[in-house]
């Protein structure tokens, strides 16, 4: 079972956790990516997320399907937000549930790592000094 | 003739548009589209081998394109 | 920063996630253990959790402190519930937050694995046929 | 004399109590406490080397005990 979406409104973590509920679930792994105030030493005031929406939606769906195909009984709900986000707001929420903890935790990690490789989404940091810069992970040392 | 190319984020900023018409001779591959884009204002933003998608699926620059394909030249992705 | 507790009331995941909020957080990893209806092929109707409470509380605190000592800037909130739980209810919730996703996900996994080794808590399954059996993980093939 | 020992879960069920007094000669180690417990009703529940804690910390059965220690003989843990 999987649900995936690119959304513009704040992501409701509890609603995503509700989606994967099932009597057979013994372990739920959740990953939340949030906007933080400091990146490579610069003060950040917010972040724009932009997507190539139809392709981002289909890549996200494909990744969730792959995660489920690799782990029988896995239940997955993933949403990625686009638009302008403030510090502390969630850009992505991944919920993976399974009878056992290993597959649940492995799936959540697989989905975030693969999402960062394959889903056409970009982010532009707003710095407190007014500058706005598109993030290029191929030039960065660290990433959230 | 020319083919429409979708642009996003830093590439849209560099070319000054979210969609541009790129002059190429058909039939051709994506590589010829990318080479033609380098000659346009903003073309220096493109890396040696940019990410490309046709009809919303990742492909390589060696892929042949057809009239009516949805072509996107894509900056390094940074989701999450 | 860490919060740990052995509790008797239902665990409030949102409240635990609120505890670790901080402008410097870029990634939150959550693990939830829930009671599932089937274990080793037997239909389960509920679960009793019992703790050696003062020792369980101090072991849980020690594990959270170790997780934080190993990862500068880590923020952790963990609660384990005791008493009688129904199917789908959460027995344990672990929230680990960090600037980066690697330490957040590694910490959540470290805490659940170590908790299962070291925290003196036991569970007794209620089967639909009326039998109640204390679980002995040293004799089991799989575990949630 | 005897020392009080805390029991939980399957061990409390087997010995029929959550706290029992175990007859031992002091000074002694936890191993002597465990051996004495084996002779009590329910003692067959104990594995060859049970988990033990003194004053709410994990120790080995070779640990010496003192009057007033909080001693617990602990079933395989199953939290989470």
């Amino acid at each position: 079972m999987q649900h995936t979406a690119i959304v513009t409104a704040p992501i409701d973590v509890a609603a995503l956790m509700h989606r994967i509920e099932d009597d057979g679930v013994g372990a739920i792994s959740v990953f939340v990516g949030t906007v933080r105030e400091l990146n490579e030493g610069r003060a950040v005031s917010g972040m724009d997320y932009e997507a190539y929406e139809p392709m981002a939606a289909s890549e996200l769906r494909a990744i969730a399907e792959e995660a489920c195909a690799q782990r029988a009984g896995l239940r997955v709900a993933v949403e990625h937000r686009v638009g302008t986000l403030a510090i502390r707001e969630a850009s992505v929420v991944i919920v993976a549930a399974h009878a056992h903890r290993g597959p649940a935790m492995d799936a959540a990690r697989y989905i975030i790592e693969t999402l960062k490789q394959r889903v056409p989404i970009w982010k532009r940091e707003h710095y407190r000094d007014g500058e706005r810069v598109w993030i290029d992970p191929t030039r960065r040392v660290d990433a959230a | 003739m020319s083919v429409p190319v979708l642009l996003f984020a830093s590439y849209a900023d560099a070319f000054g548009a979210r969609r541009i018409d790129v002059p190429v001779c058909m039939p051709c591959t994506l590589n010829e589209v990318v080479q033609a884009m380098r000659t346009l204002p903003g073309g220096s933003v493109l890396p040696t081998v940019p990410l490309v998608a046709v009809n919303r699926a990742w492909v390589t620059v060696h892929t042949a394109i057809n009239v009516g394909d949805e072509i996107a030249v894509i900056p390094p992705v940074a989701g999450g």
Side-chain angles (χ1 to χ4, degrees), chain A, chain B:
Chain A
M1 168 265 153
Q2 75 259 354
H3 157 84
T4 56
I6 307 294
V7 300
T8 54
I11 303 171
D12 183 339
V13 179
L16 289 191
M17 291 181 71
H18 185 64
R19 278 181 180 272
I20 54 74
E21 272 189 14
D22 187 82
D23 284 354
V25 166
I28 306 166
S29 182
V30 182
F31 178 79
V32 182
T34 56
V35 179
R36 63 193 160 90
E37 64 166 352
L38 209 66
N39 198 13
E40 297 184 341
R42 287 187 79 176
V44 173
S45 58
M47 191 91 84
D48 294 324
Y49 281 85
E50 179 183 331
Y52 176 13
E53 283 208 34
M55 183 174 170
S58 72
E59 284 292 317
L60 205 52
R61 191 182 322 116
I63 292 168
E65 284 169 357
E66 289 165 17
C68 290
Q70 291 159 12
R71 299 165 187 88
L74 188 72
R75 302 169 67 81
V76 164
V78 185
E79 293 188 353
H80 199 300
R81 188 173 166 197
V82 293
T84 299
L85 277 66
I87 303 295
R88 297 195 184 194
E89 285 199 287
S91 53
V92 62
V93 177
I94 297 164
V95 181
H98 194 270
H100 302 292
R101 68 186 184 282
M105 290 189 287
D106 290 348
R109 191 180 287 244
Y110 170 80
I111 292 169
I112 184 64
E113 298 299 340
T114 312
L115 180 159
K116 283 176 174 276
Q117 298 293 322
R118 276 174 42 187
V119 179
I121 294 179
W122 305 274
K123 57 189 168 200
R124 180 168 60 170
E125 283 179 341
H126 303 195
Y127 299 108
R128 288 203 197 282
D129 59 18
E131 200 188 358
R132 298 184 175 199
V133 176
W134 290 104
I135 298 301
D136 180 352
T138 62
R139 296 186 189 170
R140 284 150 61 91
V141 178
D142 71 344
Chain B
M1 68 174 295
S2 69
V3 295
V5 173
L6 302 179
L7 299 173
F8 304 92
S10 57
Y11 291 3
D13 288 356
F15 285 92
R18 306 185 72 75
R19 177 189 166 121
I20 58 174
D21 287 308
V22 178
V24 287
C25 301
M26 295 290 271
C28 73
T29 69
L30 278 168
N31 192 47
E32 289 162 82
V33 176
V34 170
Q35 296 313 328
M37 286 172 68
R38 294 189 196 283
T39 67
L40 302 176
S44 64
V45 75
L46 298 176
T48 312
V49 183
L51 300 174
V52 285
V54 171
N55 299 329
R56 305 171 182 177
W58 295 111
V59 294
T60 72
V61 291
H62 307 299
T63 303
I65 55 170
N66 300 301
V67 173
D69 280 346
E70 181 174 307
I71 298 166
V73 178
I74 295 181
V77 301

